[in-house]
Amino acid sequence: MKIITVVGARPQFIKAAAVSRAIIEHNQNNRFAIQENILHTGQHYDEKMSSVFFDQLEIPKPKYNLGITEKTHGAMTGKMLEQIETVLMKEAPDILLVYGDTNSTLAGALAASKLHIPVAHVEAGLRSFNRAMPEEVNRVLTDHISDFLFCPTQTAVSNLHNEGVVEHIHNVGDVMYDVTLMYREKAEKQYTLSNWGVGEKGYVLCTVHRAENTDDKKRLQDVFLALNEMAHDIPVILPLHPRTHKMLCEYGLEHLLKKLQVIEPLSYLEMTRLEMSAKAIVTDSGGIQKEAYFHRVPCLTLRDETEWIETVAMGCNFLCGAERKTILAGWASIANSDNVFATVDEQGELPYGNGFASRLIVEKLL
């Protein structure tokens, strides 16, 4: 069986690491081999956002790298669609595998479906119910043209059922949990907190990158005003996304970086190490919300809605939006609590599976 895997952004590299490893393990133990070729669209293009992930996560090097980046959504998706189609016609795979909700995801799924190549979507069924988000449009369209729908949670399964999608759905758990279990020990051994001049539970880790925050001056200003107030209590480490830096400068808000510990974007293992030992994580990233839960670190989410409602329901993820007051109220709840995970422990829930999602995906594809 031949699979083409399409990736293009940091979260997809992480998810692909688990499934690629499961494919390699299968090939070592079975005569019926799976041939996986990775196609990297180039959506994330710098060293810290792309190639270092392949090295650290031991993902097979991409056979194709399209180098498509820095375009509008329509131009990027259209260019990807054209070039992915060319690759698929040459390779003639049995299945095309896509992850998540980026332009790379949608372009890959569209190209394959028009060539009648079955599409497998990992992380199917997620919904924010906000169609203003490009990611929401990407994930809905991808789900409705996919032949294999690999859901990370029961909520995702229910979302698909509510849209009339009822066949070929598999609740396998979350591949990001697989990766967390695989690499947590390696990250702890390879990096020490002294690299950043902080101690255990002695800092807050923050990431800001979503367009809904970076492209709105009021939202971005409120977020960074809140971070500055938090920095009076505890060091705030900020791996600064290039787009966020650009918009802060355009809005004349770069002075709000002075009280924060601003660092370059991190590799996966570096980020994992800082996530593990943070007092709290402040983010607008979907993936990092879950990673916070996996590491038992409370999270303040800088969005008005989230796909990962399980973490909010369990009381370890505070949905703050981008208002200074609500962010600081969330921080006060964390700072004044001995253990926000006490309720989670009582419930004993495992909403994202048991760490074997990638193996189940390979079994279902076979």
Side-chain angles (χ1 to χ4, degrees):
M1 181 169 67
K2 180 191 282 191
I3 294 175
I4 294 288
T5 296
V6 174
V7 295
R10 173 193 181 273
Q12 294 167 330
F13 309 148
I14 297 169
K15 296 161 195 168
V19 178
S20 291
R21 174 176 284 199
I23 289 172
I24 291 168
E25 288 176 354
H26 166 83
N27 289 345
Q28 290 171 343
N29 300 312
N30 294 274
R31 293 170 61 187
F32 181 74
I34 301 170
Q35 178 187 345
E36 182 190 30
N37 292 325
I38 295 177
L39 185 158
H40 182 359
T41 64
Q43 190 168 336
H44 276 174
Y45 54 94
D46 65 33
E47 177 71 18
K48 285 289 186 182
M49 302 290 273
S50 182
S51 62
V52 70
F53 280 79
F54 285 89
D55 295 334
Q56 287 194 342
L57 298 176
E58 304 162 289
I59 307 170
K61 294 295 184 184
K63 183 174 181 179
Y64 299 93
N65 194 323
L66 305 184
I68 301 170
T69 188
E70 292 188 313
K71 299 180 185 296
T72 63
H73 284 289
M76 181 184 288
T77 306
K79 196 73 174 174
M80 290 175 181
L81 177 58
E82 177 186 12
Q83 294 193 31
I84 292 170
E85 181 183 62
T86 300
V87 172
L88 295 182
M89 291 173 69
K90 174 185 174 183
E91 292 283 348
D94 298 295
I95 294 171
L96 180 113
L97 185 61
V98 292
Y99 295 86
D101 53 22
T102 69
N103 293 333
S104 302
T105 308
L106 178 60
L110 283 171
S113 67
K114 289 178 180 293
L115 293 171
H116 307 293
I117 297 168
V119 177
H121 185 200
V122 176
E123 217 171 65
L126 296 185
R127 297 293 182 267
S128 68
F129 303 101
N130 178 3
R131 290 293 180 93
M133 292 174 58
E135 295 90 347
E136 182 78 352
V137 175
N138 290 342
R139 62 172 73 106
V140 171
L141 293 175
T142 299
D143 281 342
H144 281 260
I145 57 176
S146 290
D147 302 276
F148 298 88
L149 295 140
F150 295 119
C151 296
T153 65
Q154 186 56 46
T155 302
V157 174
S158 298
N159 289 338
L160 291 172
H161 286 174
N162 291 338
E163 294 174 8
V165 181
V166 296
E167 295 183 343
H168 312 299
I169 296 172
H170 308 282
N171 183 3
V172 295
D174 196 321
V175 293
M176 287 190 73
Y177 186 40
D178 296 19
V179 180
T180 299
L181 296 177
M182 288 176 190
Y183 291 99
R184 185 157 50 190
E185 186 177 347
K186 183 177 180 180
E188 191 169 20
K189 286 181 178 178
Q190 195 161 327
Y191 297 100
T192 62
L193 296 177
S194 60
N195 293 348
W196 297 281
V198 292
E200 187 75 22
K201 304 301 178 186
Y203 60 94
V204 167
L205 178 64
C206 177
T207 73
V208 184
H209 79 281
R210 282 192 181 272
E212 65 197 74
N213 289 327
T214 62
D215 296 355
D216 184 315
K217 181 178 180 180
K218 173 67 166 59
R219 290 178 71 95
L220 194 62
Q221 184 175 33
D222 259 27
V223 166
F224 277 86
L225 285 172
L227 293 175
N228 272 252
E229 291 193 46
M230 291 169 62
H232 289 301
D233 302 332
I234 192 169
V236 176
I237 299 178
L238 175 71
L240 186 57
H241 193 286
R243 182 172 65 207
T244 309
H245 191 198
K246 175 188 171 186
M247 299 311 295
L248 284 167
C249 292
E250 284 191 14
Y251 295 142
L253 299 175
E254 63 267 34
H255 62 281
L256 295 177
L257 294 172
K258 291 180 181 178
K259 293 182 180 178
L260 311 179
Q261 188 172 326
V262 178
I263 59 177
E264 292 292 315
L266 298 170
S267 68
Y268 176 73
L269 292 182
E270 289 171 318
M271 192 67 182
T272 296
R273 185 64 191 93
L274 281 174
E275 286 174 358
M276 291 168 59
S277 297
K279 171 72 173 176
I281 292 173
V282 183
T283 187
D284 57 11
S285 161
I288 291 175
Q289 290 174 52
K290 282 184 302 168
E291 289 169 347
Y293 166 72
F294 298 154
H295 295 304
R296 296 179 61 81
V297 174
C299 184
L300 302 177
T301 294
L302 305 173
R303 290 172 55 190
D304 300 319
E305 67 282 312
T306 180
E307 305 80 13
W308 305 108
I309 60 173
E310 298 84 7
T311 58
V312 177
M314 288 187 287
C316 53
N317 184 4
F318 300 80
L319 204 57
C320 298
E323 289 190 13
R324 184 182 64 84
K325 280 185 179 180
T326 54
I327 297 168
L328 292 174
W331 166 240
S333 297
I334 292 170
N336 296 327
S337 173
D338 292 332
N339 182 14
V340 300
F341 281 84
T343 304
V344 178
D345 293 337
E346 289 173 10
Q347 295 170 344
E349 291 187 41
L350 286 173
Y352 301 110
N354 55 11
F356 297 105
S358 50
R359 292 184 189 176
L360 290 173
I361 288 169
V362 172
E363 288 176 12
K364 298 296 182 184
L365 291 177
L366 287 165

